[in-house]
Amino acid sequence: MKNKIFYPYFLIICIGLVSLTSCETKKPAIPRDLAKQQLIPKPVNVNATGSSFEINGNTSIQYQSDEVQPIATYLAEILRPATGFEIPVKVMDSKPSSDHIFLTLTDSITSNEGYELITKENGIVIKANKPAGLFYGVQTLRQLLPASIEKGTKVSDTLLVATGIITDSPSYGYRGVMLDVSRHFFGVDDVKRVIDLLSIYKMNRLHLHLSDDQGWRIEIKSWPNLTKHGGSSEVGGGEGGFYTQEQYKDIVKYAQDRFITIVPEIDMPGHTNAALASYPELNCNGKAPELYHGTNVGFSTLCIDKEITYKFIDDVFGELAAMTPGEYIHIGGDESHVTPLKDFIPFINRAQKIVEKHGKKVIGWDEIAHAELLPNTVVQYWSKGENAIKGIGQGAKVLMSPATKAYLDMQYDSITPIGLHWAAYIEVDEAYNWDLATFEEGISKENIIGIDAPLWTETVQTMDDIEYLVFPRVLGLAEIGWTPTSQRNWNEYKVRLGNHKDRLEALDINYYPSTRVPWKSVSVQNDSIIKK
Amino acid sequence: MKNKIFYPYFLIICIGLVSLTSCETKKPAIPRDLAKQQLIPKPVNVNATGSSFEINGNTSIQYQSDEVQPIATYLAEILRPATGFEIPVKVMDSKPSSDHIFLTLTDSITSNEGYELITKENGIVIKANKPAGLFYGVQTLRQLLPASIEKGTKVSDTLLVATGIITDSPSYGYRGVMLDVSRHFFGVDDVKRVIDLLSIYKMNRLHLHLSDDQGWRIEIKSWPNLTKHGGSSEVGGGEGGFYTQEQYKDIVKYAQDRFITIVPEIDMPGHTNAALASYPELNCNGKAPELYHGTNVGFSTLCIDKEITYKFIDDVFGELAAMTPGEYIHIGGDESHVTPLKDFIPFINRAQKIVEKHGKKVIGWDEIAHAELLPNTVVQYWSKGENAIKGIGQGAKVLMSPATKAYLDMQYDSITPIGLHWAAYIEVDEAYNWDLATFEEGISKENIIGIDAPLWTETVQTMDDIEYLVFPRVLGLAEIGWTPTSQRNWNEYKVRLGNHKDRLEALDINYYPSTRVPWKSVSVQNDSIIKK
């Protein structure tokens, strides 16, 4: 049926070019399985048809409305170095199914982040309801191209894309990673690289843990000593560091362009030694403690009874909210072991109201469920299911980060050179083999907004360290957040993960080469296809 | 668990009011089944908890952001006449779970039109991702209130709402009715009443069939004779009528306020006698035919070979697009029996491009799949599955309106006083007992944008006629578009439909009292609850 319909178009194109010799009626075949075995997270529906579309010197990227233009350019910037061609980006000016890649928004796709990627021998159309969906369609298209495109150098004159229809949308709306930049500080370029890599796997949140006992990392103009003094330390006694507001806004914008929302966390009332060391008036005894370079937790607290404490958090959240386009600010709330519950509850109640006053909603670690939650407050489950369930009883939603599965700082096994293991050793299969909606009795899909995978950095000092703990586990965690549980299983996933070997290497990622994954170089197959 | 958490709040409220006598620790019970048996379309998830929230003189409606204010006001305007109280509408200024109804937007709900309605003894919270979701949450809340509120007069000093959590989102994004205002004309007030009634059942599209052989109903300033002459006729020789552009914009705005998008249709190249009668130059022979008052179809066509035809449709679609906030314009394309296929195909190809030039996407009846569809064109399946499947082969989405199930002008049975039966007799159970995604082999859920139920008006002359054919079938069609098929069955639905008797009557709807429905007055039960 399809051939009948498209054959006449094809003839018209050939005649149009006055070059009948270049008219191939047969395009190179791409095995259907190969097309499917490249994709992480697994799309909801892949119907590969076994043929190919050729990206070549005639290919342009066309978009239908201005808001789509940046995504078209993003795609062009992937294709240009790989092909050496210009790959022009322009408003739709020709029939889309004629050698072009066409990006369009339509209400006929209903999911906020869903998309449809239709590849035929004579063109590609990506449709979505929102720009985010188009961006994810582009990421899927990217994974259908040879891994070597990720090197940023010329691969071939032509790139082939497997034909078929992919219909896709995520199971959960919040799919993120948390990076602790307090225990060890990481600069703007490192954060941008994390953003780039997460976006490939359709993650949409980066939670930055911006303050802790060991360091305060975000400039607050009304309380300058927070970074001047409190930003000068880190675990092990290194020099620390912080983001100026300009740098932070740059990160936020860079992430936004990749459809990632930064979720900033200021942890309180505990985990506050860096702030307490910077401003003595925040301490109940009026004395500033020393900066802290160790890895203990639970020893610090803001002074709950002093009014200056609330002036402080009002100023901090006010400046932070002004730089935050996302809806959430994270107030921490974990491990406040030296704050009695009778103080903790009114503090969290008041902190929530201050955040909402600044137009943002609250996320907090699961301990905050002891307080009276506002209707939009989200409880982040990390340690205790009973806390999360208590939050649900108050009408709250839950963000899933159980330490035994989602903590990226846990070692893979007992010989992993960095990382901790207080919660568990988490091999690659163990990070994959669980489900958000069945992990804890009493927390079901309708209660859950998604997954956040924290990387605490007591032992993590370099970008290589980050990559070693995050990859490849984060690919599986991304799939847990995106793909319906009924369509996931390790034995099938591990093949797709193994096929990402060349891609991870082309991206120069220092991943952990788990022996449980059948790593496989599929570039030979791709090369045999692309070098006709 | 819930009681433990909320009990302390309740005490605090009581103390705050300094009126301990008004503090009931037990609220009147509402049977869990009763709460569920009021709701059409059936929500995805209803967890009734058996108690009640009381709307009374202390109740206010509070919203968190300005864009929500109109929905809060809409709800207040339902509650005010029913209670006689002021029901103030204001920005959130108090703890939401304290006698108030709170409306808030949050990304923690991911569906575009989904919502969560949380009713506890001490307050109601409706959460949604978009204002549309809040509006649907309000409609669900409306159905939890006694049917008599629909009368617009005082019901009681207090209204009780069943407690529980409802989590809901639609299966399909397009849920609509088509009203043919060409065969018989219906004025602005009639259209607004249709909009009001559809919105109660969470429908979100009203497709207006604005032109046909018998009459042209929308003012086009550059072609004024279309309405001056072409608007002056209708079936049977009545006086016809048309909407001025001001009136049309008023309809569009009224619909928008109820989250209904107007989809305007100008049927072509056939079904155009009214236009051809108004402008002789649109006829191939240059002669204007007479106005037509009959009910035959398939005899008229625009002149495909004349350039003036394309100037005409460019002007018409240009003026129409300027008044259309929705993404679609419908170009008809059905039953063009006197337009040879060799003419029909290039005409539809060119008409699509003209619509897209004006920034809109195309819907057309299934015959348009013979042409070369643009990537965003939607095929409306009414008669031939093979046409729709041909469209899918071209990458198009399908809007489902199979005449044997979804045509609202089909008679219920052989003695129904109005309506036709060329496709089928469609009793209330037959209109309900089918599924969009399995109706036709080769058309699956991922191909379908939703349902459109057409009411053609050859035999329909009054608002009473409209109501008789549309109700109660449209409730079931709304549920087909909203509720997952796995959660629908006639034996359970008919009980809910029967329980809508009082509501349909309070709304003064001239519905068809099918003997297949166990109509039941549930107002006595409600009254026994509300008159404590």
Side-chain angles (χ1 to χ4, degrees), chain B residues 112-354:
Chain B
N112 261 326
E113 297 183 299
Y115 65 90
E116 196 165 281
L117 171 62
I118 304 164
T119 306
K120 298 180 184 171
E121 293 190 350
N122 61 348
I124 294 178
V125 177
I126 306 178
K127 301 180 187 181
N129 187 289
K130 297 273 183 326
L134 289 179
F135 184 77
Y136 298 134
V138 163
Q139 296 299 355
T140 297
L141 173 57
R142 179 179 190 161
Q143 292 189 13
L144 289 171
L145 296 170
S148 46
I149 64 151
E150 303 294 354
K151 291 180 184 164
T153 54
K154 182 162 174 177
V155 175
S156 166
D157 277 345
T158 59
L159 298 173
L160 295 185
V161 180
T163 55
I165 298 184
I166 295 176
T167 313
D168 201 11
S169 63
S171 290
Y172 294 92
Y174 191 120
R175 304 176 306 279
V177 159
M178 189 212 79
L179 180 63
D180 169 11
V181 294
S182 182
R183 268 48 173 263
H184 281 97
F185 180 67
F186 296 90
V188 173
D189 288 347
D190 285 346
V191 176
K192 286 184 175 177
R193 176 162 165 82
V194 169
I195 289 167
D196 275 329
L197 297 178
L198 294 183
S199 70
I200 294 176
Y201 296 100
K202 302 187 176 73
M203 291 200 127
N204 64 2
R205 297 290 192 292
L206 177 62
H207 166 184
L208 289 176
H209 184 76
L210 290 167
S211 71
D212 212 303
D213 291 320
Q214 295 87 348
W216 185 283
R217 307 304 181 197
I218 176 72
E219 178 188 19
I220 301 296
K221 291 181 192 283
S222 54
W223 295 72
N225 213 39
L226 287 172
T227 43
K228 191 176 168 199
H229 183 62
S232 69
S233 56
E234 63 182 5
V235 166
E239 65 181 8
F242 65 92
Y243 310 117
T244 65
Q245 293 204 352
E246 281 313 300
Q247 288 175 321
Y248 185 78
K249 286 177 199 167
D250 178 41
I251 290 172
V252 167
K253 174 69 168 56
Y254 191 86
Q256 260 188 316
D257 289 345
R258 285 149 188 80
F259 297 89
I260 288 180
T261 304
I262 299 293
V263 179
E265 176 184 354
I266 301 294
D267 202 346
M268 58 181 66
H271 290 281
T272 43
N273 189 76
L276 297 168
S278 304
Y279 288 98
E281 58 267 45
L282 297 176
N283 297 272
C284 279
N285 66 3
K287 291 180 188 165
E290 294 294 303
L291 291 172
Y292 182 67
H293 310 110
T295 58
N296 287 335
V297 298
F299 60 87
S300 58
T301 184
L302 292 170
C303 189
I304 305 304
D305 297 331
K306 281 186 164 177
E307 202 51 32
I308 186 79
T309 295
Y310 303 96
K311 170 81 167 75
F312 166 72
I313 66 178
D314 192 16
D315 290 342
V316 169
F317 288 145
E319 292 193 32
L320 202 52
M323 299 186 287
T324 300
E327 70 174 333
Y328 292 114
I329 283 183
H330 200 302
I331 65 170
D334 56 321
E335 300 176 318
S336 300
H337 301 323
V338 295
T339 322
L341 204 57
K342 72 167 179 51
D343 291 341
F344 180 80
I345 290 172
F347 174 83
I348 295 294
N349 290 351
R350 196 161 166 190
Q352 287 180 91
K353 284 179 187 160
I354 292 170

Side-chain angles (χ1 to χ4, degrees), chain A residues 9 45 64 96 104-108 110 112 116 120 127 327 356 361 372 375-376 394-395 397 446, chain B residues 9 45 64 96 104-107 110 112 116 120 127 327 356 361 372 375-376 394-395 397 446 449:
Chain A
Y9 292 5
N45 212 307
Q64 211 188 24
T104 183
L105 296 177
T106 171
D107 281 351
S108 73
T110 53
N112 261 326
E116 195 164 281
K120 297 180 184 172
K127 301 180 187 181
E327 69 175 331
E356 295 231 344
K361 292 160 189 163
E372 294 161 28
N376 286 310
Q394 295 193 56
K397 296 280 182 184
E446 68 192 30
Chain B
Y9 292 6
N45 212 308
Q64 211 187 25
T104 182
L105 297 176
T106 171
D107 280 352
T110 53
N112 261 326
E116 196 165 281
K120 298 180 184 171
K127 301 180 187 181
E327 70 174 333
E356 295 232 345
K361 292 160 188 162
E372 295 160 25
N376 287 310
Q394 295 193 56
K397 297 281 181 181
E446 68 194 30
I449 66 169

Side-chain angles (χ1 to χ4, degrees), chain A residues 314-488:
Chain A
D314 192 16
D315 290 342
V316 168
F317 288 145
E319 291 193 32
L320 201 53
M323 299 186 288
T324 300
E327 69 175 331
Y328 291 114
I329 283 183
H330 200 303
I331 65 169
D334 58 321
E335 300 177 317
S336 300
H337 301 324
V338 294
T339 321
L341 204 56
K342 72 166 179 51
D343 289 342
F344 180 81
I345 290 172
F347 175 83
I348 295 294
N349 288 353
R350 196 160 166 189
Q352 287 180 91
K353 284 180 186 160
I354 292 170
V355 169
E356 295 231 344
K357 184 185 87 173
H358 292 294
K360 299 297 169 186
K361 292 160 189 163
V362 171
I363 304 182
W365 300 105
D366 59 44
E367 291 94 325
I368 67 163
H370 292 295
E372 294 161 28
L373 303 181
L374 291 179
N376 286 310
T377 294
V378 169
V379 175
Q380 184 164 10
Y381 173 17
W382 71 282
S383 72
K384 284 198 177 176
E386 64 182 76
N387 286 344
I389 291 165
K390 193 177 288 191
I392 291 167
Q394 295 193 56
K397 296 280 182 184
V398 175
L399 178 58
M400 293 292 287
S401 309
T404 54
K405 292 292 184 183
Y407 265 36
L408 289 165
D409 60 316
M410 293 297 111
Q411 292 165 292
Y412 293 99
D413 59 24
S414 61
I415 59 170
T416 306
I418 52 172
L420 306 173
H421 57 262
W422 61 262
Y425 294 111
I426 310 178
E427 246 290 359
V428 178
D429 56 338
E430 291 156 346
Y432 182 82
N433 263 330
W434 64 293
D435 168 43
L436 301 183
T438 57
F439 182 77
E440 181 89 26
E441 201 178 324
I443 307 179
S444 60
K445 187 164 191 300
E446 68 192 30
N447 307 127
I448 296 170
I449 67 170
I451 183 170
D452 193 34
L455 182 69
W456 302 101
T457 58
E458 286 91 339
T459 66
V460 177
Q461 302 186 51
T462 65
M463 190 68 208
D464 270 355
D465 291 348
I466 290 178
E467 292 175 11
Y468 192 76
L469 290 173
V470 171
F471 291 88
R473 283 186 292 203
V474 76
L475 278 68
L477 296 165
E479 181 153 308
I480 287 173
W482 185 280
T483 308
T485 307
S486 59
Q487 295 180 238
R488 296 199 295 112

